[in-house]
Each structure stands twice: as C-alpha cells, then as structure tokens.
Amino acid sequence: MDQNNSIPAFQGLASPQGAMTPGVPIFSPMMPYGSGLTPQPVQNTNSLSILEEQQRQQQQQQAQQANAGLPGTSGQTPQLYHSQTVAGSTTTALPGNTPLYNTPLTPMTPITPATPASESSGIVPQLQNIVSTVNLGCKLDLKTIALRARNAEYNPKRFAAVIMRIREPRTTALIFSSGKMVCTGAKSEEQSRLAARKYARVVQKLGFPAKFLDFKIQNMVGSCDVKFPIRLEGLVLTHQQFSSYEPELFPGLIYRMIKPRIVLLIFVSGKVVLTGAKVRAEIYEAFENIYPILKGFRKTT
Amino acid sequence: MAYQLYRNTTLGNSLQESLDELIQTQQITPQLALQVLLQFDKAINTALANRVRNRVNFRGSLNTYRFCDNVWTFVLNDVEFREVTDLVKVDKVKIVACDGKRHTEYK
C-alpha cells in the first residue's frame, strides 16, 4: 500500500503520522500486537505469553529470512540482515518489523505517506569487503600458532600479529597475542562471522581456550555503477562542504556524507564506492541519498 | 655460521650417515664430526651461491604456506619442474626456503 520502492526502513518505527489511535507512539496496521516494547491497545488478554511467543516467532522469521539470503534490494527492510547475526551489538534492529498477519481488528492506517517525486535508483550497491573484530578471550602464543597452523605468516620484526588466511570464505585474519582478532575480506555479514568462527576454531584446535566474544562488524564497503558519466567539478562546486576533489592527487571525488556518516568515492565513469558503514542499511541509504545528486551532475556530452 | 638447511639433503644425509658410522667404529670423535658438518654447511652454501649457474622454473598450485623465523615453507601440488633440457612432474613438493640475503645467522 505504501510500497513505492523507497526503503521502508522506518516503517512502523517512530512515525506517528496517520496513527489514528491516540496515545500509541508506535502503531502499524501490520503488527497486531506491536513490538512488545510500547503500550498497546487493550486487545490482548494473556498479553505476556502471547507477546513472548510472538517475539520468538518474529526472531525465527527474521532468522529464516536472513538465512535465505534475501538480496538487498531497496524495497526490503535492510535491518533484517544483521539482527540475527550480530548478537547484542545491533543498533537499529527492532523485533516486530516483520508483519505476521493482518487481522480485521486493525484499521489500515497508512504510516508512510507516498513519497512524491524521487523514485529509487533501482541500483543496489554490492558489498565488497567487511572488516570485523572479535575477542578470543585468552592470550595466544603467536609462534606456536605460526608453526603449527597452515597458511600463516608471522614476522614479528615487521608486524606483531599472525596473518592467517582461509579459502572459504576467502578472508584474511590478523591474530594478536592479546587474543584479539581482525577478520577482513568477507563479502557479507554472515560470511564475516562464519570466517571469524573458523579462525577461532583453528586457534582452539591448537590447544588455546578460545572463545568468541564481542564479535562486531567495524566497516563495510560497497560499490556500484550509476551507468552515466559525472561532472565532478560541478559537484565539488555546489557541495564543497562535503566534497574534496584533487584530480592531481586522486582521480575520484571524496564525498563525506553527514547522515548517514559514509564516505563515498565518486568517479567520472559513474562508478561509486561507499565505505565507513557499520550496517548494510547505511550503504543503501547513502546511495539513495547521493543518486539524485549525481543525476543532477550527469555529463551530457 | 651458514644455514644448516642443507644437512637434510641427499648429499648431507649421506655425509651424516658416514660420519655416524665412523663414530660407531671409534675412528673419529663426535666433536670432529660436528666440525665436519659445520664445514659442510659453509662449503655447500658457497658452492650453491657461486658455482651454480643453471636455472629451473617450476609451476604448481599452492596447497599451504608458512612463514615463521624468516623461513618460508610451501607445499605445492601437481608441480612441473621445467629446465631447458627436460621436464619433471610431481604430485606434491615441499619447499623450505631461507633468506638469500640475511643479516643474522639462523640454524
């Protein structure tokens, strides 16, 4: 009903516009019992048990959807991707975004009014690199690891960590003697977590009491192509507070978007690189923000 | 003090076996055998560095690698060793490599 291809990431969150029931800060026609976090209209009798079960169902549904590997089209809720994988460190995922079923009890109140003018680009940035960290929770003897593990490099004179690689998912890990580890090179959040777990298992098999504490995605990089050439000079003139363009230093324009806090490298060819995201949604949001601006600076010759 | 890398080669192993036999029959002392091996290390290192001129190319797929104590260890699969004259194919080869230009000595 309100699906006109804009990211409905904020559907059902804090948009009281159109809510017909006063006093209910979050109300969506597709959430009969709501998220359980806000006061609800008096419809439920055994509220506690139903809400708990509903939250569990929603989490399972989110798990299924995340595991089914839904493509990150701009018409889907991007928060689903990390709500399952990153335990406790998500910033935005709220249970209850997934509609369970429509009941006749709930009036069809439109939440997001139809956005005028701008349509979505139809282009989805592809994730190219994910950097994550995890704490294995115990001190490690790097020389033992380098001597016994496969595909490991250790040159303490140059760098104080073991550099280990695995083939599936194709990633590289930096393992420090404190027990902390950095995992780079994965193409998705789930792959990054899986790879980090594989490294932890390697370390564990070598005899260290490795745990898997505080896994956190630190950076995500995406790229895409707008398929038309761009007038970087024009862009830097109008958006000079955000842009820096030194063609003699680097051929791309560096655009530092404030909201979301993402850095974009924009090239004359129309290729765009987005980096600095902690969650996938930030990449998508940043691209949707920049696309109309880029369209305005399309090269016509 | 040159690399003792070459003691575990056909030549080096033959030398070590012969020295062990001589020690068994009390013809030389173990200390002398050790000196012989040290001299062997020096000789083989300088010989390979100065008297070997031919070049061999090899190509294969990398199974594992390791770098520790400035020593590279590779295991390659399905390798072809190619010299101008001939070609040798092997399923598996282990390569242990020490630094050619080094500042400190390593055993």
Side-chain angles (χ1 to χ4, degrees), chain A residues 36 39 48-49 55 63 68 80 104 110 116 118 124 132 134 155 174 212 230 241 248 265 271 280 300:
Chain A
L48 196 57
S49 54
Q55 280 174 7
L80 289 175
S118 64
V124 181
S132 58
V134 71
N155 195 357
L174 306 176
F212 200 73
I230 302 172
Q241 329 129 272
E248 294 175 10
L265 305 178
K271 297 258 187 351
R280 192 186 278 247
T300 47

Side-chain angles (χ1 to χ4, degrees), chain A residues 83-158:
Chain A
S83 61
Q84 180 62 25
T85 56
V86 186
S89 53
T90 52
T91 49
T92 54
L94 277 183
N97 282 344
T98 323
L100 285 185
Y101 46 87
N102 288 323
T103 66
L105 292 175
T106 57
M108 299 298 282
T109 316
I111 291 297
T112 332
T115 27
S118 64
E119 313 168 339
S120 86
S121 57
I123 304 170
V124 181
Q126 296 303 307
L127 288 181
Q128 302 293 349
N129 181 26
I130 310 240
V131 178
S132 58
T133 54
V134 71
N135 185 0
L136 302 179
C138 62
K139 293 267 174 287
L140 302 175
D141 180 16
L142 296 187
K143 183 139 170 216
T144 317
I145 295 177
L147 282 174
R148 293 172 55 198
R150 294 169 171 239
N151 301 326
E153 295 167 49
Y154 181 45
N155 195 357
K157 288 186 305 197
R158 226 183 58 168

Side-chain angles (χ1 to χ4, degrees), chain B residues 32-84:
Chain B
L32 180 57
L34 183 61
Q35 290 300 320
V36 171
L37 284 170
L38 290 174
Q39 182 59 33
F40 167 75
D41 294 331
K42 271 187 248 175
I44 190 82
N45 272 288
T46 50
L48 287 171
N50 302 330
R51 289 169 57 187
V52 172
R53 295 266 174 263
N54 53 335
R55 182 192 173 120
V56 177
N57 290 330
F58 61 95
R59 171 190 294 260
S61 49
L62 182 65
N63 188 323
T64 60
Y65 65 88
R66 172 177 296 116
F67 183 67
C68 194
D69 293 326
N70 269 333
V71 176
W72 278 103
T73 308
F74 301 104
V75 175
L76 308 189
N77 289 121
D78 303 322
V79 195
E80 289 187 355
F81 287 87
R82 206 175 280 270
E83 204 176 344
V84 181

Side-chain angles (χ1 to χ4, degrees), chain A residues 43-60:
Chain A
Q43 294 168 1
N44 344 324
T45 46
N46 314 327
S47 46
L48 196 57
S49 54
I50 292 177
L51 280 174
E52 277 182 357
E53 192 193 296
Q54 178 190 325
Q55 280 174 7
R56 239 183 303 121
Q57 282 179 19
Q58 285 170 352
Q59 279 172 9
Q60 281 175 15

Side-chain angles (χ1 to χ4, degrees), chain A residues 239-257:
Chain A
H239 288 77
Q240 59 200 55
Q241 329 129 272
F242 309 107
S243 322
S244 94
Y245 178 45
E246 270 321 309
E248 294 175 10
L249 278 187
F250 186 64
L253 185 151
I254 301 162
Y255 192 103
R256 295 179 188 275
M257 196 175 282

